[in-house]
Amino acid sequence: MKSVTGFQHKKLNKMDIEMEKILVEKPSSIIIRKLKEMIELGVLKPNQVLPPERKLSEQFGVGRSHVREALKKMEYFGILKTQPQSGTFVVGLGAKAIEGLIANILEIDNNDFFSLIETRITLELRIAELAAKRRTESDLVLVKNALDAYEQAVSDNSEDISEKDFMFHLSLCRCAKNSTLKSLMMIITPDILSQFDNKSVCSNDDRKNAIDEHNTLYKAIVDQDAEKARKIMENHLNPILTFAREKYDLDY
């Protein structure tokens, strides 16, 4: 039997579902894709200054906030660079190198929640180690404040629990003294948080366990026990990895 659109009804398989996800793109992803096309066509060349944000917004037919998000993400990946009073320009990496980098960004945006989780865990294990080795007393104050804020959010059952959790993890980047790790965390985590919010991954019990694990991790960092901090972080994030693996029905 055919629908009014002329397509025959059929049961969706996994491939159909995955294809449907790929077609639903965020405005920032569409802008990144369009900029990639402009580079491929030679409209934009390495070292060339991009049009102003307002003009890009008009050209792509989207709000300036979406343009800003796309440019910021491309700058994090080293594809664009902004200089005061000079504007934003394409980094001189060569068109082919830039195309490859942009393809990677679009893969992360459109697909594979599991790869985001796996990458985050790789980053956070190293962050935990470095945080324990490099933290200062002033760093510990900020980590403790972030920890207390997360505990309060859980106690109040507030709407920003995920954000407070992220802020605690982000505070460890300060201890680690590595701005690149922090930037990478800020790139991939928003997409992870949106998936968790949509799927309601964390139950109340999970959050209570997270508080205990955060406190244990904080103590390991205070004690400058890098090996223990890494192990605690690994145990803390394993349930997230399990969720992502089950979501994509992966056997590795």
Side-chain angles (χ1 to χ4, degrees):
M1 179 179 178
K2 293 187 177 180
S3 67
V4 292
T5 59
F7 289 102
Q8 190 170 7
H9 288 295
K10 64 176 182 177
K11 184 178 180 181
L12 289 176
N13 58 32
K14 186 175 181 180
M15 181 175 291
D16 293 322
I17 294 170
E18 292 300 319
M19 289 177 67
E20 189 174 29
K21 289 179 183 176
I22 291 172
L23 293 174
V24 180
E25 289 188 295
K26 297 186 297 183
S28 61
S29 297
I30 296 172
I31 295 167
I32 292 171
R33 190 181 297 280
K34 291 293 184 183
L35 290 173
K36 177 177 182 287
E37 291 173 3
M38 292 170 73
I39 292 170
E40 290 172 343
L41 294 172
V43 178
L44 282 177
K45 297 180 175 63
N47 299 313
Q48 182 175 340
V49 177
L50 268 64
E53 188 179 286
R54 174 188 55 78
K55 189 168 182 179
L56 287 173
S57 175
E58 293 172 355
Q59 182 177 347
F60 295 137
V62 298
R64 292 178 66 171
S65 63
H66 297 304
V67 173
R68 198 172 302 119
E69 180 184 348
L71 297 183
K72 185 176 181 181
K73 182 167 286 192
M74 294 177 76
E75 189 167 3
Y76 272 133
F77 273 77
I79 298 165
L80 303 178
K81 186 172 183 179
T82 300
Q83 290 185 342
Q85 301 179 341
S86 298
T88 300
F89 62 91
V90 181
V91 175
L93 297 174
K96 289 298 179 184
I98 291 172
E99 289 171 24
L101 286 171
I102 292 176
N104 287 338
I105 300 175
L106 292 170
E107 275 187 31
I108 290 175
D109 272 343
N110 292 335
N111 204 354
D112 208 351
F113 177 55
F114 180 78
S115 74
L116 288 172
I117 293 294
E118 197 168 43
T119 302
R120 176 186 170 182
I121 290 174
T122 301
L123 295 175
E124 292 228 51
L125 295 183
R126 184 57 176 159
I127 288 169
E129 286 181 329
L130 293 178
K133 291 177 180 178
R134 299 175 177 175
R135 89 328 178 254
T136 64
E137 292 301 318
S138 60
D139 292 334
L140 293 177
V141 172
L142 293 175
V143 176
K144 186 63 167 64
N145 289 341
L147 178 57
D148 291 343
Y150 174 68
E151 290 186 16
Q152 188 62 52
V154 172
S155 176
D156 297 340
N157 196 27
S158 62
E159 295 181 355
D160 61 348
I161 291 176
S162 295
E163 286 78 4
K164 296 297 184 185
D165 182 26
F166 176 48
M167 293 308 295
F168 168 74
H169 285 262
L170 204 59
S171 72
L172 302 183
C173 295
R174 179 187 175 97
C175 299
K177 305 292 188 291
N178 189 310
S179 59
T180 302
L181 285 174
K182 181 178 179 180
S183 295
L184 291 171
M185 283 283 290
M186 292 179 71
I187 291 169
I188 66 173
T189 301
D191 285 340
I192 294 173
L193 290 179
S194 67
Q195 289 279 353
F196 271 53
D197 288 340
N198 290 338
K199 297 296 183 182
S200 300
V201 178
C202 295
S203 67
N204 289 332
D205 288 340
D206 290 331
R207 288 165 181 164
K208 290 175 182 176
N209 290 336
I211 289 174
D212 292 339
E213 291 166 354
H214 283 183
N215 278 292
T216 306
L217 177 59
Y218 172 70
K219 186 177 185 305
I221 292 171
V222 170
D223 295 340
Q224 295 191 297
D225 190 335
E227 185 177 348
K228 185 175 181 180
R230 178 188 174 91
K231 187 63 179 177
I232 294 168
M233 182 67 83
E234 185 176 14
N235 290 337
H236 179 56
L237 296 177
N238 266 339
I240 304 174
L241 188 65
T242 299
F243 167 79
R245 187 177 285 114
E246 290 175 351
K247 175 180 171 68
Y248 284 94
D249 194 25
L250 301 174
D251 56 3
Y252 56 82

